[in-house]
Amino acid sequence: MAYLYLLCIYYLIWTTRTNASLSTIGNVYYNMRYNSTDTIITSLTVKYQVVCAAQCANLFVNCNTAVFDSLAIPQCSLYSGRITPANLTVSISTIVYDFQQSKLPATPILHGWNKTGITVAGASNGSAGKAANLLSQPYGTALGSSNSLYIADFANNRIQRWLINESNGTTVAGLSNATAGASSVALNMPVSVVLDSNDNMYFTDKINHRVVYWANGASSGTTIAGILGISGSTNNTFNRPNGIARDSSTGTLYISDVHNHRIMKYLLNASSGIVVAGGNGAGTGITQLYYPFGFTFDSSSNSLLIANYRAHNIVRWVLGASSWTLVIGSLTGLSGSTSTLLNQPVGITLDSMGNIYVADSRNHRIQFFVAGQSNGITIAGVTGLSGNSQSQLSFPYWVTIDDQLNLYVSDYNNNRVQLFLHC
């Protein structure tokens, strides 16, 4: 893994020099600190100075100076003012970029990921199974405490907890022998799992048409939404629930009710939900959803970003609104494999800067979209090419990021979870 990480660093330096050569678009001051009374635009936590510079160059039109200080928290500060040598004092840990109204190219290297994945759960060759070291069609994932990864082992009817760098997983919900069931201890194709601060689990039990709460370390779970084994379209029933999100500040749950083409909101301890998106039948109209498999809650805009599976797009539905706005893909439901189109998107997540990551399942890739942009780049997998090599994916269904922006990808048809290191 260390070798791949070094390759990643080299790749970032090389692409910076060859694609965005920052020294050619403005004065670059190394090992100096910028003392300025100019208005600060924002401060960001980033990993590398080139990422800091790119935020200034491409995302903030009024930004002219980016200051990266490796010893500060947060490390990156963006200013509207421009600098001159008189503004600078020596500091070993600081790099300052003066863009002087120049900007990076339209598609800068904002982030980089190593294109070779590392199998962190399941068999690297794609073999399926129910043994502790195997998975069968892994779906949703969540990062827990103590360097752990929780995996909805879909076709094995269980939730597995997998410590990073371990070769075996542990069953923490459902039956370890992969038997399906409909009870407080048995599951039937769990899809998506979220955790609270104590690693208590909330997950969708798809074919049982319910949401389950399973306390950390418990031997059984409790149905907290839906009715065990009964499908329906009322406000207290589901028809194959899929994605789930939790507002940690209130305990509110959001659940994608896929075959009812809607997103439901359940307040803490509520026995019935509220339709907050869709619910107007399947379709591509702005008041409709079309198999909303995955979604994420965007607290900054009080909205849901929804992967509209059969409409092949990502839409934003502000809570309280009666319709969505298009974010990525086609308004009419057109699928495709270009940088602006998707083909059956499933999982979606956001980073702290509002950038979007999409598991573009039928294109066998993970697409990255800079906040506010609809033109993506492929950061994992090979567009249109399914395979089980370490650089390929086969129907990726979920993507999760850690605080260092490393990608954990549920490689559904390859029965494994792949880690793609952030550069």
Side-chain angles (χ1 to χ4, degrees):
M1 188 177 293
Y3 172 72
L4 290 175
Y5 189 78
L6 289 173
L7 282 179
C8 212
I9 296 296
Y10 175 80
Y11 170 77
L12 182 65
I13 294 170
W14 182 82
T15 52
T16 299
R17 289 178 176 171
T18 58
N19 290 288
S21 188
L22 293 173
S23 61
T24 67
I25 61 174
N27 299 321
V28 183
Y29 298 95
Y30 294 91
N31 301 329
M32 298 178 180
R33 185 178 296 279
Y34 174 40
N35 296 325
S36 173
T37 58
D38 287 312
T39 301
I40 188 169
I41 299 170
T42 190
S43 294
L44 305 167
T45 298
V46 300
K47 213 176 169 187
Y48 300 104
Q49 60 267 25
V50 67
V51 178
C52 177
Q55 304 304 308
C56 179
N58 198 62
L59 297 185
F60 296 90
V61 294
N62 59 332
C63 180
N64 285 286
T65 304
V67 179
F68 179 83
D69 188 341
S70 63
L71 300 182
I73 300 176
Q75 300 96 327
C76 178
S77 297
L78 307 182
Y79 292 86
S80 59
R82 293 165 57 187
I83 63 174
T84 66
N87 296 121
L88 301 170
T89 58
V90 174
S91 171
I92 294 174
S93 62
T94 305
I95 297 175
V96 178
Y97 296 91
D98 175 13
F99 290 92
Q100 298 186 346
Q101 309 207 0
S102 295
K103 298 295 175 186
L104 281 174
T107 308
I109 304 300
L110 291 175
H111 295 292
W113 284 267
N114 195 294
K115 290 298 186 74
T116 302
I118 303 164
T119 302
V120 293
S124 60
N125 65 2
S127 297
K130 58 185 179 182
N133 65 330
L134 297 175
L135 300 169
S136 185
Q137 298 178 344
Y139 214 127
T141 57
L143 290 164
S145 60
S146 303
N147 209 28
S148 60
L149 182 68
Y150 288 71
I151 304 165
D153 194 6
F154 183 71
N156 278 330
N157 308 298
R158 64 192 184 184
I159 307 292
Q160 295 292 91
R161 181 175 184 262
W162 215 295
L163 297 178
I164 305 302
N165 297 322
E166 293 292 328
S167 56
N168 292 326
T170 302
T171 302
V172 291
L175 301 175
S176 60
N177 65 5
T179 301
S183 68
S184 63
V185 298
L187 310 176
N188 198 340
M189 295 189 170
V191 172
S192 177
V193 57
V194 295
L195 307 172
D196 66 17
S197 58
N198 295 313
D199 282 358
N200 300 311
M201 294 176 286
Y202 304 77
F203 55 83
T204 51
D205 189 15
K206 187 166 187 168
I207 306 304
N208 281 327
H209 310 291
R210 65 174 175 171
V211 174
V212 177
Y213 170 76
W214 200 298
N216 186 7
S219 57
S220 63
T222 304
T223 299
I224 57 171
I227 301 173
L228 174 59
I230 297 177
S231 67
S233 58
T234 61
N235 280 5
N236 68 333
T237 59
F238 298 110
N239 191 346
R240 302 195 176 193
N242 212 75
I244 185 171
R246 181 175 180 270
D247 184 347
S248 59
S249 64
T250 63
T252 298
L253 295 175
Y254 298 90
I255 302 112
S256 63
D257 189 10
V258 170
H259 283 247
N260 284 323
H261 311 286
R262 64 186 185 180
I263 308 289
M264 301 295 293
K265 171 183 176 180
Y266 272 74
L267 299 175
L268 183 64
N269 298 322
S271 59
S272 185
I274 303 164
V275 179
V276 292
N280 298 306
T284 58
I286 62 171
T287 65
Q288 297 176 299
L289 297 174
Y290 204 175
Y291 294 102
F293 275 28
F295 69 97
T296 189
F297 174 62
D298 182 7
S299 59
S300 67
S301 60
N302 195 37
S303 67
L304 303 174
L305 280 169
I306 303 167
N308 219 2
Y309 180 79
R310 286 291 185 186
H312 312 291
N313 58 23
I314 305 297
V315 300
R316 183 184 300 277
W317 201 304
V318 176
L319 294 177
S322 58
S323 62
W324 52 255
T325 56
L326 182 68
V327 178
I328 300 163
S330 165
L331 270 171
T332 61
L334 176 68
S335 66
S337 59
T338 65
S339 61
T340 60
L341 293 176
L342 303 170
N343 195 342
Q344 297 181 356
V346 177
I348 178 172
T349 194
L350 289 168
D351 65 23
S352 60
M353 293 173 285
N355 303 316
I356 299 173
Y357 305 73
V358 178
D360 189 14
S361 72
R362 203 168 183 84
N363 280 324
H364 312 293
R365 66 187 183 181
I366 303 299
Q367 289 294 91
F368 173 76
F369 296 86
V370 174
Q373 295 190 13
S374 58
N375 191 17
I377 58 172
T378 301
I379 57 174
V382 180
T383 299
L385 186 61
S386 173
N388 66 0
S389 75
Q390 293 301 91
S391 62
Q392 292 176 299
L393 301 169
S394 183
F395 289 89
Y397 268 17
W398 217 256
V399 57
T400 299
I401 57 174
D402 64 19
D403 57 5
Q404 297 299 314
L405 300 184
N406 300 309
L407 306 175
Y408 296 82
V409 179
S410 294
D411 196 6
Y412 183 83
N413 269 14
N414 281 327
N415 307 297
R416 65 188 183 182
V417 176
Q418 295 291 90
L419 168 63
F420 293 88
L421 291 172
H422 178 251
C423 299

